[in-house]
Amino acid sequence: MKTEKITLAGDVPGNSIELRVLRFEGGNNEAVSAYLQSSLHGSELPGQAALHFLIPMLERAESEGRVAGNITVVPQANPIGSAQWQAHQHLGRFDYFSGVNFNRSFPLLESFDTTGLPAIDAPKSLAERLKAQLLRLALPHEIVLDLHCDDESENYLYIHQAFLPEMYDLASALGSTAILSWDSTADAAFEEACAHPALHLSEQERKARAVTTVEFRGLNDVDIETGKHDADGLYRFLVHRGVIIDDSVKLNVDFNGPVTPLENVEMIRAPQGGMILFHVDIGTEVEAGAKLVTVVTIPGDPQGDITLTAPQAGRILTRRSHRYTRRGDDLLKLLGDKRSENARPGSLEA
């Protein structure tokens, strides 16, 4: 394993960040290569835990000559966000200066040529230069896995429709319960920026690729057992795709979960602020009209309670972990079989 440290100067003198990039050199020029990163949102750590336990597995494979394709790993993709703390709360989702989500506004390239991206010392903000550098690291690879997590959530994937059904193997390897499929979000997340040039390839070339956002459950699902389990899943996938050689690992592609277009996802939002009382847990299958959540707007007076019900039948994929909400906040995601009446263009959340 070779470790590279990339330093990006801050926006004012005396400040900088450092990207730690781990590289494993493959022995087969014909094998596909892989890029894995985590914590693009600084406080999202389940993916970072998975990579922590995956890296020793990759080192062993490399020492035994079993790494076929090149592998690049960035365990902490956003040092800016990792350092964002306010009033003892770890944040890391939005750039303080611009208010832009760190996983939005990536450059969309028509090809895999990254020479036009802002240089590391360009007269651009640190956040913009960081995004350009992450794309330079990722785009040379056929497999790009961006590891995130939701709030309280099942394990699920975002996958462009052009990579389905071939990427059911990743869902199977990771034990994902659902796939959210998309064709355009217009928000230029990292996944979209990495998928965009691949859409101009032939179908055969495109189907050999894998680009996704992995949502490794919820913010608090960070522990040794879960991290090792997720590392094993990532390893199985890399073996299945031929990046690593390991005859002891087999993957049966048996994904049977829902594949839900983004427009079929019901985002249940708070009509008023107040205390949140959930009637359902993640993973619950509900019928149309089922009680989902009650917002208590006047504590001690049940007449102020607002109970929200399921607009259609479906599966509860995520919930919020906080229990006090503002008006208009997202409370949960429900995966439906038909288009939501409240479907909107763009990503599901800011």
Side-chain angles (χ1 to χ4, degrees):
M1 181 181 76
K2 296 180 180 179
T3 301
E4 177 185 0
K5 295 182 179 179
I6 302 173
T7 300
L8 287 82
D11 293 332
V12 296
N15 290 276
S16 65
I17 63 168
E18 183 179 271
L19 275 181
R20 181 166 164 265
V21 181
L22 310 179
R23 299 185 187 273
F24 300 84
E25 186 174 355
N28 181 357
N29 292 332
E30 301 300 317
V32 297
S33 62
Y35 174 85
L36 299 88
Q37 72 174 28
S38 66
S39 298
L40 182 55
H41 289 143
S43 65
E44 297 181 3
L45 300 178
Q48 193 174 128
L51 293 183
H52 178 71
F53 291 106
L54 175 66
I55 288 165
M57 300 169 74
L58 300 181
E59 289 182 296
R60 178 178 177 181
E62 186 179 50
S63 69
E64 296 174 354
R66 295 187 289 103
V67 175
N70 294 332
I71 304 171
T72 301
V73 182
V74 183
Q76 194 170 24
N78 183 6
I80 310 170
S82 295
Q84 282 186 344
W85 291 79
Q86 186 173 15
H88 298 274
Q89 297 296 313
H90 195 187
L91 305 176
R93 189 174 183 85
F94 300 97
D95 177 27
Y96 278 162
F97 178 76
S98 66
V100 174
N101 188 320
F102 284 116
N103 195 24
R104 302 289 186 271
S105 301
F106 275 84
L108 295 181
L109 304 179
E110 297 302 312
S111 73
F112 296 98
D113 181 3
T114 61
T115 56
L117 290 173
I120 197 171
D121 59 352
K124 298 283 187 178
S125 72
L126 176 57
E128 291 177 280
R129 287 180 283 122
L130 173 63
K131 291 174 182 179
Q133 183 58 41
L134 293 176
L135 284 183
R136 275 192 289 268
L137 291 169
L139 284 177
H141 300 276
E142 290 88 358
I143 294 172
V144 177
L145 306 183
D146 187 19
L147 309 183
H148 287 253
C149 71
D150 211 300
D151 203 339
E152 288 183 355
S153 175
E154 294 192 290
N155 179 339
Y156 69 98
L157 306 173
Y158 286 98
I159 301 178
H160 193 287
Q161 294 171 4
F163 300 110
L164 294 173
E166 284 73 16
M167 281 187 63
Y168 286 177
D169 58 351
L170 178 62
S172 180
L174 298 183
S176 302
T177 60
I179 293 172
L180 302 189
S181 67
W182 59 277
D183 58 5
S184 176
T185 67
D187 291 311
F190 178 78
E191 176 192 354
E192 185 171 3
C194 293
H196 191 73
L199 302 180
H200 302 287
L201 299 174
S202 68
E203 182 177 3
Q204 182 177 1
E205 291 176 303
R206 188 177 70 247
K207 295 297 187 182
R209 292 179 170 264
V211 181
T212 186
T213 299
V214 178
E215 299 284 358
F216 270 140
R217 292 169 300 278
L219 286 166
N220 292 325
D221 293 317
V222 185
D223 56 63
I224 293 172
E225 182 179 351
T226 304
K228 288 182 176 180
H229 176 272
D230 293 339
D232 288 343
L234 293 170
Y235 184 82
R236 281 194 300 272
F237 174 71
L238 294 176
V239 171
H240 181 71
R241 287 292 180 115
V243 183
I244 299 170
I245 300 168
D246 191 333
D247 293 335
S248 69
V249 174
K250 302 297 180 184
L251 176 64
N252 294 319
V253 181
D254 55 357
F255 176 70
N256 296 312
V259 179
T260 305
L262 290 188
E263 57 267 25
N264 287 18
V265 179
E266 300 283 0
M267 298 296 294
I268 308 302
R269 296 185 170 90
Q272 293 186 35
M275 180 171 62
I276 304 169
L277 300 176
F278 286 111
H279 297 277
V280 292
D281 202 348
I282 56 174
T284 304
E285 298 283 348
V286 300
E287 298 295 328
K291 292 181 179 180
L292 301 179
V293 57
T294 293
V295 179
V296 178
T297 66
I298 309 173
D301 184 354
Q303 292 186 358
D305 292 359
I306 301 173
T307 297
L308 306 177
T309 59
Q312 61 170 304
R315 183 182 184 90
I316 306 300
L317 183 67
T318 73
R319 302 189 319 186
R320 298 307 300 266
S321 60
H322 65 237
R323 293 298 183 266
Y324 198 74
T325 189
R326 290 164 52 93
R327 184 190 299 260
D329 279 354
D330 299 326
L331 300 179
L332 55 78
K333 296 186 188 77
L334 183 152
L335 305 184
D337 291 329
K338 59 184 180 181
R339 183 181 178 88
S340 168
E341 294 183 358
N342 297 312
R344 61 182 184 182
S347 57
L348 294 174
E349 297 164 289

